[in-house]
Amino acid sequence: EAEAEYRLAVQDNTKRINELKQDRLERDLDILIDGFDNQKTINERLIADENKTFEERKRILEETRKLSDDSFAKQIETIQKFTGVQVEASELIAEQDAIALNQRIRSLGLSEIIEGRLLEIVRDRKTAIQDLNEAETSLNDAEKKANDEKAKQQKELYKKQQETIEQEYDLRLSEID
């Protein structure tokens, strides 16, 4: 009976240790995910700020891409460290089919909670990539529009200068006559 109690206590302790490890993993992931998402939101506002130069906005966009890459790598590393399972993150990101993605994640043999967190990480990564690509497209479009407007204004200014020169020329010619 004492041996049975001992085994039960060891089982309970092992279960409790695993629960504490999983809680730690989830807190670590929350910090990584929420921290990046918050900074990405701030940076997206800065990228869209028309009071900043295009160079500043492009620099912020590139910094945000690097933050995204770093955060994603740390999230995957955290999952791998906790589970001891190698995660082929690029394959998960590349998977377009939701059912196939789910099967790939399931095949890793993770707990249901960790499977859910990995799916969340993959979805957030895909969304971040799309958001940053859209921000880059918007920024490039705004820069092109600004450059086109500047070229138009320069063309109009040149035309006005030409007209002024011609008028001055005609005036001088009339003075000579």
Side-chain angles (χ1 to χ4, degrees), residues 117-167:
R117 295 308 301 261
L118 184 54
L119 183 60
E120 175 188 1
I121 290 168
V122 169
R123 268 193 258 134
D124 285 354
R125 175 64 173 173
K126 287 182 175 187
T127 300
I129 289 169
Q130 183 64 36
D131 288 349
L132 294 173
N133 287 343
E134 288 173 6
E136 181 177 32
T137 299
S138 293
L139 184 57
N140 289 340
D141 289 348
E143 185 176 30
K144 183 184 181 319
K145 184 178 177 183
N147 287 338
D148 290 349
E149 183 61 33
K150 187 176 179 180
K152 181 182 171 186
Q153 289 173 354
Q154 287 175 337
K155 190 176 180 179
E156 288 174 7
L157 178 62
Y158 176 76
K159 184 180 175 184
K160 286 181 182 179
Q161 287 173 337
Q162 284 300 110
E163 288 172 0
T164 303
I165 290 171
E166 287 173 13
Q167 288 172 354

Side-chain angles (χ1 to χ4, degrees), residues 76-91:
I76 294 298
E77 180 185 313
T78 300
I79 293 271
Q80 290 177 155
K81 193 185 317 181
F82 174 77
T83 63
V85 173
Q86 182 65 32
V87 176
E88 295 300 328
S90 58
E91 290 178 13

Side-chain angles (χ1 to χ4, degrees), residues 2-14:
E3 190 175 312
E5 283 182 27
Y6 172 76
R7 271 188 263 146
L8 189 58
V10 167
Q11 251 181 352
D12 285 347
N13 286 341
T14 302

Side-chain angles (χ1 to χ4, degrees), residues 3-166:
E3 190 175 312
E5 283 182 27
Y6 172 76
R7 271 188 263 146
L8 189 58
V10 167
Q11 251 181 352
D12 285 347
N13 286 341
T14 302
K15 182 180 176 187
R16 182 71 184 133
I17 288 169
N18 288 338
E19 287 172 354
L20 290 172
K21 283 181 183 178
Q22 186 162 313
D23 288 349
R24 174 66 188 258
L25 166 77
E26 292 209 57
R27 278 194 313 276
D28 289 351
L29 288 174
D30 286 341
I31 289 167
L32 290 169
I33 291 168
D34 294 344
F36 167 69
D37 192 50
N38 181 51
Q39 190 61 51
K40 180 175 138 301
T41 300
I42 291 167
N43 287 3
E44 285 172 332
R45 289 180 184 159
L46 295 173
I47 292 164
D49 184 352
E50 293 179 2
N51 294 318
K52 296 196 172 302
T53 66
F54 287 110
E55 291 74 28
E56 288 176 301
R57 294 160 72 185
K58 286 179 182 179
R59 181 186 50 75
I60 294 167
L61 177 64
E62 286 313 308
E63 287 173 5
T64 308
R65 280 191 200 283
K66 185 175 177 352
L67 285 172
S68 176
D69 294 345
D70 292 347
S71 177
F72 179 68
K74 287 176 186 167
Q75 292 167 39
I76 294 298
E77 180 185 313
T78 300
I79 293 271
Q80 290 177 155
K81 193 185 317 181
F82 174 77
T83 63
V85 173
Q86 182 65 32
V87 176
E88 295 300 328
S90 58
E91 290 178 13
L92 297 177
I93 297 298
E95 184 58 63
Q96 299 292 317
D97 182 82
I99 294 170
L101 176 60
N102 190 39
Q103 289 171 342
R104 281 182 184 258
I105 290 174
R106 284 260 160 94
S107 72
L108 296 172
L110 305 172
S111 74
E112 218 174 288
I113 291 172
I114 302 306
E115 284 179 357
R117 295 308 301 261
L118 184 54
L119 183 60
E120 175 188 1
I121 290 168
V122 169
R123 268 193 258 134
D124 285 354
R125 175 64 173 173
K126 287 182 175 187
T127 300
I129 289 169
Q130 183 64 36
D131 288 349
L132 294 173
N133 287 343
E134 288 173 6
E136 181 177 32
T137 299
S138 293
L139 184 57
N140 289 340
D141 289 348
E143 185 176 30
K144 183 184 181 319
K145 184 178 177 183
N147 287 338
D148 290 349
E149 183 61 33
K150 187 176 179 180
K152 181 182 171 186
Q153 289 173 354
Q154 287 175 337
K155 190 176 180 179
E156 288 174 7
L157 178 62
Y158 176 76
K159 184 180 175 184
K160 286 181 182 179
Q161 287 173 337
Q162 284 300 110
E163 288 172 0
T164 303
I165 290 171
E166 287 173 13

